[in-house]
Amino acid sequence: FFPEEALEKSLPLEVLNYVKKHYDDCCKPLFFILLILARSTRRYKIRGICRYMFNNFKLLRVLNYEIRRTRDLFGGWKLPSDIGNDIGNLVHLRFLSLRNLKFQWSKLPSSLGNLRCLQTLDLRVGNCRIHVPNVIWRMEQLRHLYLPSNCKSSTKLKLGTLRKHLTLVNFNTKNCYLKDLINMTNLRELEIYGPFYIENFNEEELGENPPIIGSKYLHSLSIINYGEHGSVDPKHLAVSFLAVQEDPMPTLEKLPNLRILKLVSFEGKEMFCSAQGFPKLESLSLSGLHNLKEWNVDEGAMPSLQRLEIWECRNLKMLPEGLRFITTLKELKVTLMGKTFKHRLEEGGEDFYKVKH
């Protein structure tokens, strides 16, 4: 497909040895997969490989373009814009990941809507702003959706048809519709990253406790704050990137099957967990709650907690007394906290009795 000398310049040694061994059998899909992993210095190589694959691998089920930033052996490469629409030919795909790719596109191709059999779609393309066409609603078999963290303002996605949805990452009300989220009662994992406005939504239709709050399936809820200003009533999912002022715990602790909670958006000074709250919570992370001074935990709260992480909550004076009743606790991680706080936890310290078990 390509001259041997071109391969020698573009492939790592361990990959080159395999390709040379199977060079005459270039119709094998693995041969092309190895080429795609290669670091190519000439743009026409990538274009040719992608176009060939998009137009000939019609039965392909899994396509992973992900580039791992921690060990990018091949330096990364850009996906040419002129072959974008060809990706819609892979109509049997079940899994598609474009994670961390460098694009020459300012928008994803609308041909993505042809991939009706997709069950997992990962569009976390890095920090670049990109437009996502409103075609995801056509993928009714979709279970796991990872949206870009930085969509263009022109992106507005309808997701109400995704009744089988289990995982939704990077949801916000700027690029998506709140009403669609409320209908996703089968969600296992929800991560909201971006503004979460409810002002324009009908209060009576929303109700005090949307179905997602009472869902028996929701296990993981991530709350991330990237610094926008404003506020939102915690009863509306208790999540916001808009600086929550009211203690979210009284609402979150009622989630019957919540197992993982990462809280990084709370501007209040006090937080309270009541008895019988968070019945199945196994992992709790409090990160960057700069104003938090006092955290109270009743006996009987978080009876299943195994892991607790406290990261850069520098104004928190001490661990709550109620932690000594949580016998299931196995791991406590304290990062970027003051020396006084840490000394209290060491053997012989004032708070050691709370966690010595």
Side-chain angles (χ1 to χ4, degrees):
F1 191 69
F2 294 120
E4 185 173 347
E5 57 197 41
L7 290 174
E8 290 178 353
K9 294 180 181 179
S10 61
L11 293 176
L13 181 60
E14 63 270 23
V15 178
L16 178 61
N17 290 336
Y18 183 93
V19 171
K20 283 184 175 181
K21 184 178 179 180
H22 298 276
Y23 189 72
D24 292 331
D25 193 14
C26 63
C27 61
K28 285 189 175 182
L30 183 57
F31 177 85
F32 290 100
I33 292 173
L34 289 172
L35 286 177
I36 288 174
L37 288 174
R39 179 178 184 176
S40 296
T41 56
R42 298 180 183 178
R43 184 180 173 190
Y44 77 87
K45 296 178 188 177
I46 294 299
R47 182 183 294 109
I49 292 171
C50 292
R51 178 165 286 121
Y52 183 91
M53 182 176 65
F54 291 166
N55 288 290
N56 292 277
F57 286 15
K58 296 295 180 64
L59 298 180
L60 197 65
R61 298 295 199 274
V62 176
L63 181 55
N64 188 356
Y65 276 124
E66 179 175 345
I67 296 176
R68 299 185 183 276
R69 294 176 177 176
T70 55
R71 195 182 178 193
D72 187 359
L73 296 177
F74 313 113
W77 47 272
K78 295 183 178 180
L79 198 61
S81 57
D82 58 351
I83 54 89
N85 286 326
D86 294 339
I87 200 171
N89 295 329
L90 304 176
V91 294
H92 293 287
L93 276 182
R94 266 55 168 185
F95 178 99
L96 173 62
S97 174
L98 304 178
R99 190 173 185 182
N100 295 334
L101 273 190
K102 298 177 181 178
F103 283 92
Q104 293 179 0
W105 308 337
S106 60
K107 61 180 180 179
L108 293 172
S110 58
S111 64
L112 284 173
N114 296 340
L115 309 181
R116 303 288 189 89
C117 296
L118 270 184
Q119 296 181 9
T120 298
L121 176 60
D122 193 339
L123 301 177
R124 292 175 289 183
V125 296
N127 294 325
C128 58
R129 290 178 63 83
I130 196 164
H131 173 72
V132 182
N134 184 28
V135 296
I136 296 178
W137 63 270
R138 301 172 66 183
M139 307 172 187
E140 296 185 8
Q141 301 302 313
L142 205 60
R143 266 82 164 171
H144 310 281
L145 174 60
Y146 304 85
L147 294 170
S149 59
N150 196 2
C151 292
K152 289 188 173 182
S153 58
S154 57
T155 297
K156 196 67 174 179
L157 305 174
K158 294 181 179 180
L159 305 176
T161 57
L162 308 182
R163 303 290 181 179
K164 299 180 180 180
H165 227 47
L166 304 178
T167 305
L168 180 56
V169 171
N170 290 335
F171 176 89
N172 62 59
T173 55
K174 177 182 178 182
N175 304 120
C176 308
Y177 293 93
L178 176 62
K179 185 176 181 179
D180 292 341
L181 175 62
I182 293 172
N183 292 330
M184 295 181 186
T185 55
N186 292 320
L187 274 181
R188 265 69 167 176
E189 178 181 351
L190 172 63
E191 180 178 302
I192 298 182
Y193 186 86
F196 191 77
Y197 296 111
I198 63 168
E199 286 83 354
N200 297 326
F201 197 86
N202 187 305
E203 179 73 18
E204 293 182 0
E205 188 174 358
L206 180 63
E208 292 187 0
N209 290 303
I212 192 65
I213 283 290
S215 172
K216 62 181 180 180
Y217 301 113
L218 188 64
H219 292 170
S220 177
L221 176 62
S222 297
I223 305 170
I224 304 172
N225 185 346
Y226 59 63
E228 290 198 16
H229 299 288
S231 62
V232 63
D233 190 334
K235 73 182 180 184
H236 302 291
L237 291 181
V239 287
S240 172
F241 304 54
L242 314 174
V244 174
Q245 300 291 336
E246 185 179 340
D247 182 3
M249 292 306 193
T251 298
L252 294 175
E253 68 183 11
K254 297 176 183 177
L255 289 164
N257 282 288
L258 187 64
R259 286 175 168 80
I260 302 172
L261 176 60
K262 302 174 184 178
L263 184 61
V264 295
S265 177
F266 175 51
E267 297 295 319
K269 297 180 180 180
E270 297 182 357
M271 196 163 63
F272 179 72
C273 298
S274 63
Q276 284 76 52
F278 296 108
K280 294 187 178 180
L281 190 68
E282 297 175 359
S283 176
L284 174 62
S285 176
L286 307 178
S287 301
L289 308 185
H290 302 294
N291 295 329
L292 182 64
K293 292 184 178 181
E294 188 172 350
W295 178 27
N296 295 305
V297 175
D298 270 353
E299 181 178 356
M302 299 183 287
S304 304
L305 191 67
Q306 299 181 26
R307 182 179 185 273
L308 172 62
E309 179 178 7
I310 302 175
W311 183 86
E312 202 175 11
C313 302
R314 293 186 179 273
N315 284 316
L316 185 62
K317 300 175 182 178
M318 65 183 74
L319 284 179
E321 179 78 15
L323 286 186
R324 68 188 181 96
F325 301 111
I326 304 178
T327 58
T328 56
L329 190 61
K330 298 178 180 179
E331 179 183 353
L332 172 63
K333 185 175 181 179
V334 176
T335 309
L336 295 179
M337 297 291 286
K339 290 183 179 180
T340 302
F341 187 91
K342 291 185 178 180
H343 288 161
R344 294 177 66 100
L345 294 177
E346 295 172 351
E347 188 169 359
E350 297 176 65
D351 286 347
F352 179 69
Y353 74 99
K354 300 176 182 178
V355 294
K356 65 179 182 180
H357 59 287

